[in-house]
Amino acid sequence: MTEIYPPIEPYAAGMLDVGDGNAVHWTASGNPDGKPALVVHGGPGSGSSPGARRLLDPARYRIVQFDQRGCGRSTPHAADPATDMRHNTTRHLIADMEQLRDHLGIDRWLLHGGSWGSTLILAYAQQHPERVSEIVIAAVTMTRRSEIDWLYRGVGRFFPEQWERFLAAAPGTPRDGDIVGAYARLSEDPDARVREKATADWCAWEDAVLSGETGGASNPYSDRPSAARQAFVRICARYFAHGAWLDEGALLRDAGRLTGIPGVLVHGRLDMGGPLITAWELHRAWPGSELIVVESAGHLGSPTTRDHVLRALDRFAALP
């Protein structure tokens, strides 16, 4: 098993004014003269993590991280019900990434992330392929409406009791109705008690989907601090209720735009939240991409998943 790199502190950080009253928090770690790499967090709305940069060699990479609008240390925070969410869409996040690249004086950078982060990476790379040197993704998603429906309805066949509770917590929603949209409305309710209950119920469902991986030892969503949970649910439900403002299947349709960008996709065969078919379809549509299937891993990954990601990042670090 490959060891991850030691913890490091950023050598630079800041708040980037991206307009619409929003400021995006960013950090830079590792080698200031190293190969630029952007780590894109998941969620949407989860915020960046110091541990995520430990997969990149700090001697060879200039590691950039940022908190997407409304979460982490970016402002205003989505946990505040007064925060205007109209200017928080996939299009805005792509523009923020491009503005950050320009602000830091970076010509091209490697992109690394997973889950929702992979959707944002693909959307950015297809819009700005000339700015991307390589891509390394774990737990591939493209946030198609079919994928959203699987995560919040289809996978309920494996967790029927928990899904019934999830549905019942959105009163008036039929079994085949828009449950994600219902939660998006609940997360915007003027009553704080309604918002708090919706947050708890959404996180309980997310934890249930991952329970086969955690064995009940932890609750990856419910165990987060209150403000982080509220921001995550408000942002996540809003994005998914709108299909991330992407035309259905657009990222797969336009995968040809990634031609010439080396890419490694690492996906667990046992990923209940994001079935392997998504990674497989993207791999087939992306010329030159490499797909690694980890037999024993799920959405959270495993030591084997981490090893494959580390090896890919180390390999790309040697490229100009």
Side-chain angles (χ1 to χ4, degrees), residues 144-155 176-177 180:
R144 293 172 292 184
R145 286 160 181 79
S146 57
E147 296 172 52
I148 296 167
D149 186 68
W150 167 262
L151 179 56
Y152 297 103
R153 186 190 321 280
V155 75
D176 59 351
V180 174

Side-chain angles (χ1 to χ4, degrees), residues 61-143:
Y61 277 112
R62 177 186 179 186
I63 308 165
V64 179
Q65 294 178 272
F66 75 109
D67 293 322
Q68 294 161 31
R69 292 191 184 202
C71 67
R73 286 173 283 184
S74 293
T75 59
H77 202 267
D80 181 353
T83 295
D84 186 349
M85 300 292 287
R86 289 177 300 166
H87 304 294
N88 194 334
T89 70
T90 304
R91 176 179 61 82
H92 289 97
L93 300 187
I94 293 171
D96 294 348
M97 292 165 67
E98 186 62 0
Q99 187 172 339
L100 178 60
R101 182 197 61 76
D102 184 65
H103 174 73
L104 297 176
I106 292 171
D107 181 48
R108 298 168 74 227
W109 47 10
L110 174 147
L111 303 180
H112 166 57
S115 194
W116 157 256
S118 62
T119 291
L120 186 53
I121 284 171
L122 294 168
Y124 173 90
Q126 290 181 11
Q127 188 166 326
H128 301 286
E130 73 285 356
R131 298 304 182 186
V132 181
S133 57
E134 302 90 12
I135 294 174
V136 179
I137 291 174
V140 180
T141 72
M142 291 187 282
T143 314

Side-chain angles (χ1 to χ4, degrees), residues 152-215:
Y152 297 103
R153 186 190 321 280
V155 75
R157 69 193 64 182
F158 295 99
F159 308 98
E161 181 180 355
Q162 295 89 336
W163 190 81
E164 290 287 354
R165 287 199 294 267
F166 182 55
L167 177 65
T173 306
R175 297 181 67 85
D176 59 351
D178 183 9
I179 191 169
V180 174
Y183 271 90
R185 291 187 292 273
L186 290 170
S187 70
E188 298 287 349
D189 195 278
D191 189 331
R193 293 169 298 181
V194 173
R195 297 195 304 272
E196 289 167 5
K197 185 177 185 305
T199 295
D201 291 330
W202 180 284
C203 289
W205 169 248
E206 297 272 11
D207 287 336
V209 175
L210 296 178
S211 59
E213 301 181 51
T214 64

